[in-house]
C-alpha cells in the first residue's frame, strides 16, 4: 500500500509487481511453515505411537520440511522438528525390521521344506532298499533258524 501512496518514479509499476510477487512468495512460505507445524501436531502427536501406517504422512511432512530453506526451517519448533526426524527414523527402522523378519521367515520356511523333503526322500530310499533286501533277509532268517536249531 505504501508504494501506491509514494511519489511517481520511473518503473514504479515494475517494482510494484516485483514487490507483490515477493510478498506472495513470502506468504506462501509462511503458510507452508504453518501448515507443516499444524500437520505435525495434528497427525504425529504423540510421537511415541508412530507406526508403519503413518509412513506416508511422515515422508510427506519430512520432504516438505527438507524443501524449506535453512532460515525457514528455524521457524519451526525444535521439538516438532526433532519429533519429525525421530518419527521418520522410527518408521525406517520398523520397515527395515519388517523386511528382515520376512526374509528370515522365508529362509526358515525354505530350510524346513528342504529338511522335510530330504527326510521323505531318505525314507523312500530306505523303503526301497528294504523291499529289495527283505526276501533275502527272510531266507537268511530261515536258514539261521534252521542251523541254529540243529546245533541246539
Amino acid at each position: 500500500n505504501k508504494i501506491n501512496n509514494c511519489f511517481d518514479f520511473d518503473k514504479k509499476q515494475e517494482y510494484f509487481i516485483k514487490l507483490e510477487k515477493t510478498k506472495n512468495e513470502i506468504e506462501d512460505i509462511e503458510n507452508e511453515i504453518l501448515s507443516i507445524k499444524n500437520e505435525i501436531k495434528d497427525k504425529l502427536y504423540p510421537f511415541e505411537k508412530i507406526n508403519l501406517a503413518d509412513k506416508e504422512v511422515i515422508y510427506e511432512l519430512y520432504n516438505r520440511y527438507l524443501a524449506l530453506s535453512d532460515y525457514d526451517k528455524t521457524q519451526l519448533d525444535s521439538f516438532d522438528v526433532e519429533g519429525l526426524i525421530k518419527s521418520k527414523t522410527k518408521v525406517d527402522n520398523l520397515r527395515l525390521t519388517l523386511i528382515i523378519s520376512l526374509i528370515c521367515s522365508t529362509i526358515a520356511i525354505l530350510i524346513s521344506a528342504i529338511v522335510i523333503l530330504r527326510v521323505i526322500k531318505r525314507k523312500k530310499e530306505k523303503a526301497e532298499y528294504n523291499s529289495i533286501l527283505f526276501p533275502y533277509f527272510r531266507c537268511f532268517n530261515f536258514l539261521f533258524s534252521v542251523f541254529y536249531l540243529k546245533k541246539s
Side-chain angles (χ1 to χ4, degrees):
N1 229 0
K2 289 183 180 182
I3 201 163
N4 288 333
N5 295 335
C6 76
F7 62 93
D8 287 337
F9 57 92
D10 291 340
K11 298 184 182 180
K12 177 181 177 182
Q13 191 61 30
E14 184 179 323
Y15 285 118
F16 180 75
I17 292 171
K18 283 183 183 180
L19 283 173
E20 278 293 319
K21 181 180 175 190
T22 305
K23 178 183 166 223
N24 290 337
E25 289 174 1
I26 291 171
E27 286 175 353
D28 289 344
I29 292 170
E30 288 174 345
N31 289 336
E32 177 66 8
I33 292 169
L34 185 62
S35 172
I36 291 172
K37 283 181 184 180
N38 291 335
E39 287 187 43
I40 288 173
K41 285 180 178 37
D42 292 342
K43 296 180 180 178
L44 300 184
Y45 274 98
F47 293 120
E48 296 80 28
K49 293 188 179 182
I50 297 295
N51 58 39
L52 278 176
D54 302 317
K55 178 184 169 229
E56 297 299 322
V57 172
I58 291 170
Y59 271 84
E60 178 208 344
L61 287 170
Y62 186 75
N63 290 333
R64 287 170 56 194
Y65 168 75
L66 290 179
L68 296 174
S69 70
D70 290 338
Y71 173 77
D72 294 332
K73 288 177 185 177
T74 63
Q75 302 303 308
L76 291 167
D77 296 331
S78 61
F79 180 75
D80 291 342
V81 173
E82 184 180 317
L84 178 62
I85 293 171
K86 283 182 180 179
S87 297
K88 183 186 177 296
T89 303
K90 183 176 181 181
V91 166
D92 290 343
N93 290 340
L94 287 171
R95 186 171 174 260
L96 185 62
T97 303
L98 179 66
I99 291 169
I100 290 171
S101 299
L102 289 173
I103 289 171
C104 290
S105 299
T106 303
I107 290 171
I109 290 170
L110 288 174
I111 289 173
S112 299
I114 289 170
V115 167
I116 290 170
L117 291 174
R118 184 78 177 137
V119 166
I120 291 171
K121 180 180 176 186
R122 290 195 69 191
K123 281 186 177 185
K124 282 183 181 178
E125 288 173 353
K126 192 172 184 179
E128 286 178 17
Y129 181 75
N130 287 340
S131 68
I132 292 171
L133 293 180
F134 186 69
Y136 299 110
F137 176 73
R138 285 184 59 194
C139 178
F140 176 76
N141 194 17
F142 173 72
L143 292 174
F144 179 76
S145 63
V146 167
F147 288 116
Y148 181 73
L149 290 174
K150 280 186 180 180
K151 288 182 182 181
S152 315

